[in-house]
Amino acid sequence: MRTTRNHQKGIAAITAMLVVTIAAVLAVELAWQTNLDLRRTEGLIAWEQAHQFALGAEALAAKVLREDLERSTAEPVDWLGEDWARPTAFNLDQGGMTGGLVDLQGRFNLNNLVRQDGSRDDLVYQQFQRLLAALDLDPALADAVVDWIDPDTTAEFSGAEDDAYTGLDPPYRAANFWFTSVSELRAVRGVEREVFEILAPNLAALPVGAKPTTINVNTATPAVLQSLGDNVSLSNVEQWVTDRGNEPFEDLTFFQEYIDAAMQPYLGVTSSYFGLQGTIVIGSHQLAMYSLLERAGLGVAVRLRSFDAVEIVPPGDRSETPAKDTEAADQNG
């Protein structure tokens, strides 16, 4: 009987230890889940706050663009000396917001390469070749870009259609449609990362209309200015950039001796499309925003809006990994 009693005491002690261990494990798990829930809630609140600040920045940008046009006393001109072109920064309670507007008509619009009927615009195609050459890139790349947009399946001389992409891993097909984002160019054959990084600051992917979007000579990048004609030299471009920094070009008269008459309808001194880029930081959370704004008359419409949310991990803290989330909204005004 004594042995049985000792045996029972041992079983009771082991059972008690198991109960305590299970309780401790459950308590730790509960605390961990509670901590995760709190962090998740904190992140959602911070993201929503940043989201609202971003929309406020968008509304402010639209207001600045409207007021810029209202202040025009004669023929409107958009140039880099105006208020809309200045970057802005705001301090927030738990962080800050920085950003600014970019004139997207100071860049080469990829969608101008192909007309609405699906045919290639030869003048724009030649300009794109000059742009590539100005950036020390292969002008033959223009063929692959045209093939990415045009609706047919016949490749240009140095182009690429479905057969060039379906054999890749993973396979895909040419869009045969206009670009919705400059980043889409990375899918085109020949556009490696290094090529894209050189090209991207000079490109835009703007909505397609009955007429091609014009290039604003007052805001165009130096490489885009050099692409306007065969007779445009680097010294010409440097002089134009210096001149417009002091006073904008009010018309295209100055450019007539440098640029072919056929190319001049593709140029202008005003802009309708602007890109708003901003970053909002709330605590340890960061939200990047991009909006495509179209100014038509005194109205400003949001044509595209996208967000990228990232949790900032302090240096040396590896307990958490960056959490990314993206959202996009297309609003046609």
Side-chain angles (χ1 to χ4, degrees), residues 43-261:
L44 290 172
I45 293 174
W47 188 91
E48 184 57 33
Q49 287 179 322
H51 183 265
Q52 294 303 318
F53 280 122
L55 295 180
E58 193 177 79
L60 177 60
K63 180 175 181 290
V64 170
L65 289 174
R66 284 193 298 268
E67 291 179 345
D68 171 70
L69 198 58
E70 290 171 354
R71 283 195 297 268
S72 300
T73 55
E75 290 297 320
V77 172
D78 293 307
W79 66 299
L80 299 177
E82 296 181 298
D83 291 342
W84 63 262
R86 298 186 178 95
T88 305
F90 296 97
N91 291 323
L92 306 176
D93 291 339
Q94 300 178 16
M97 178 169 60
T98 58
L101 284 164
V102 176
D103 183 359
L104 296 179
Q105 287 183 237
R107 304 182 178 189
F108 178 86
N109 181 10
L110 290 168
N111 292 328
N112 279 354
L113 283 164
V114 175
R115 301 185 182 93
Q116 280 190 316
D117 62 6
S119 62
R120 187 183 76 182
D121 189 317
D122 289 337
L123 283 175
V124 178
Y125 169 77
Q126 292 164 11
Q127 182 199 353
F128 189 40
Q129 287 184 314
R130 291 192 294 267
L131 175 62
L132 292 166
L135 296 170
D136 293 326
L137 299 175
D138 186 3
L141 183 61
D143 287 343
V145 179
V146 169
D147 281 333
W148 187 264
I149 307 173
D150 66 17
D152 64 48
T153 57
T154 303
E156 299 281 328
F157 181 74
S158 299
E161 287 288 354
D162 288 348
D163 57 349
Y165 302 111
T166 52
L168 301 177
D169 185 18
Y172 57 93
R173 300 176 63 183
N176 291 338
F177 199 72
W178 288 281
F179 285 91
T180 57
S181 169
V182 171
S183 61
E184 188 181 341
L185 190 66
R186 281 286 283 117
V188 176
R189 189 182 70 175
V191 184
E192 307 299 336
R193 180 179 297 276
E194 296 78 9
V195 173
F196 179 78
E197 289 176 352
I198 295 172
L199 262 177
N202 301 283
L203 301 179
L206 302 179
V208 177
K211 296 181 179 180
T213 54
T214 56
I215 292 173
N216 187 341
V217 295
N218 288 311
T219 61
T221 65
V224 171
L225 286 174
Q226 194 171 350
S227 72
L228 297 181
D230 292 324
N231 298 324
V232 178
S233 66
L234 185 58
S235 60
N236 292 145
V237 171
E238 292 172 348
Q239 187 62 52
W240 295 347
V241 171
T242 300
D243 291 344
R244 75 184 187 185
N246 300 318
E247 188 176 352
F249 297 107
E250 296 183 353
D251 55 48
L252 300 174
T253 304
F254 181 82
F255 296 88
Q256 290 178 353
E257 65 175 292
Y258 301 96
I259 299 170
D260 292 340

